[in-house]
Amino acid sequence: MRLVLLGPPGAGKGTQGDRLIERHGITRLSTGDMLRAAVKAETPVGLKAKDIMARGDLVSDDIVIAIIDDRLKEPDVKNGFILDGFPRTVAQAEALDRLLAQKGIRLDAVVELKVDEGALLKRIETRIAEMTARGEAIRADDNPEALKKRLDAYRSQTAPLSAYYKAKGDLLEVDGMAPIPSVETAIDEGLKARKAAV
Ligand code: ADP
């Protein structure tokens, strides 16, 4: 199973991604996690990305495409994968198409978690409050200013991917406002229906 998870910050990509990797035994490829690891390790990519990420802006397409290109060469992606946070621009989606075509593989689906913008801010505020209460470190970009930028970036640069994948017949739209187990069921049913239709 090869999936892309699409949705704004706070849409539930992390939660649903966890369930999908467990259920299908696939690997999660999160560019956000990979970039945060690079920042922490102070690699050349990390040093470039650090301030951009903290502001809530997007890192350049070249950087993330190179990261994903390398990652897709690792043996653990053979059983399938879920891309979380990539692609985030049409240029990234086109690059992904090329990378997959080179490997002779294709995506099974692009799962889009649809949520009301008004709910996102609240969800993230709750997440920050819960993490603070547990004494966990807060991400550098989990503050109102950077969050606004992340939402703006999503709206202007990532939301067009919905039409991009719809035109290819790859899009599976799911109501991300429903309770977590219902979202999970909707994704499963949607994936099953797509498989049956092939
Ligand atoms: P979110 O919770 O906003 O979905 P992520 O953990 O996926 O966040 O990403 C955090 C930050 O990492 C983004 O705001 C951006 O700066 C950078 N980033 C992650 N993936 C990409 C990408 N595909 N293209 C450009 N920048 C990215």
Side-chain angles (χ1 to χ4, degrees):
M1 177 91 70
R2 290 179 287 264
L3 301 174
V4 167
L5 262 185
L6 200 59
K13 298 192 297 294
T15 309
Q16 295 302 329
D18 284 347
R19 283 155 199 257
L20 285 162
I21 55 172
E22 220 172 276
R23 172 149 331 161
H24 298 285
I26 53 181
T27 306
R28 164 193 253 122
L29 308 180
S30 156
T31 40
D33 285 350
M34 294 179 216
L35 287 167
R36 278 186 287 277
V39 169
K40 201 165 170 208
E42 299 183 339
T43 65
V45 163
L47 293 175
K48 256 194 223 165
K50 187 175 181 189
D51 294 340
I52 301 172
M53 290 175 73
R55 282 201 303 270
D57 288 328
L58 291 188
V59 174
S60 81
D61 287 337
D62 293 353
I63 290 183
V64 286
I65 290 166
I67 290 179
I68 285 293
D69 187 9
D70 281 349
R71 190 64 185 82
L72 287 174
K73 290 178 181 140
E74 307 265 336
D76 63 334
V77 302
K78 287 235 160 59
N79 289 334
F81 53 79
I82 185 158
L83 284 164
D84 171 354
F86 181 93
R88 246 182 169 91
T89 64
V90 171
Q92 290 179 20
E94 289 169 348
L96 177 63
D97 285 345
R98 286 193 295 274
L99 290 176
L100 296 180
Q102 278 165 17
K103 294 179 189 305
I105 54 179
R106 55 168 285 121
L107 295 171
D108 290 287
V110 174
V111 179
E112 179 179 7
L113 295 172
K114 304 191 70 97
V115 276
D116 302 339
E117 270 210 15
L120 295 176
L121 222 70
K122 239 182 132 213
R123 282 191 185 183
I124 291 169
E125 278 167 4
T126 307
R127 180 167 84 193
I128 295 173
E130 285 171 359
M131 288 176 75
T132 310
R134 288 197 297 265
E136 290 171 13
I138 304 300
R139 270 166 52 170
D141 60 352
D142 265 348
N143 60 72
E145 213 176 306
L147 194 60
K148 195 184 161 299
K149 280 250 186 103
R150 281 156 64 199
L151 283 173
D152 287 346
Y154 188 84
R155 231 180 276 127
S156 61
Q157 301 189 71
T158 311
L161 292 185
S162 184
Y164 179 88
Y165 285 117
K166 197 171 205 166
K168 285 174 168 285
D170 288 342
L171 194 68
L172 171 60
E173 292 171 285
V174 173
D175 174 16
M177 297 301 290
I180 291 173
S182 312
V183 178
E184 195 183 345
T185 308
I187 294 175
D188 279 348
E189 305 273 298
L191 291 176
K192 254 189 241 153
R194 290 181 60 83
K195 215 169 183 184
V198 174

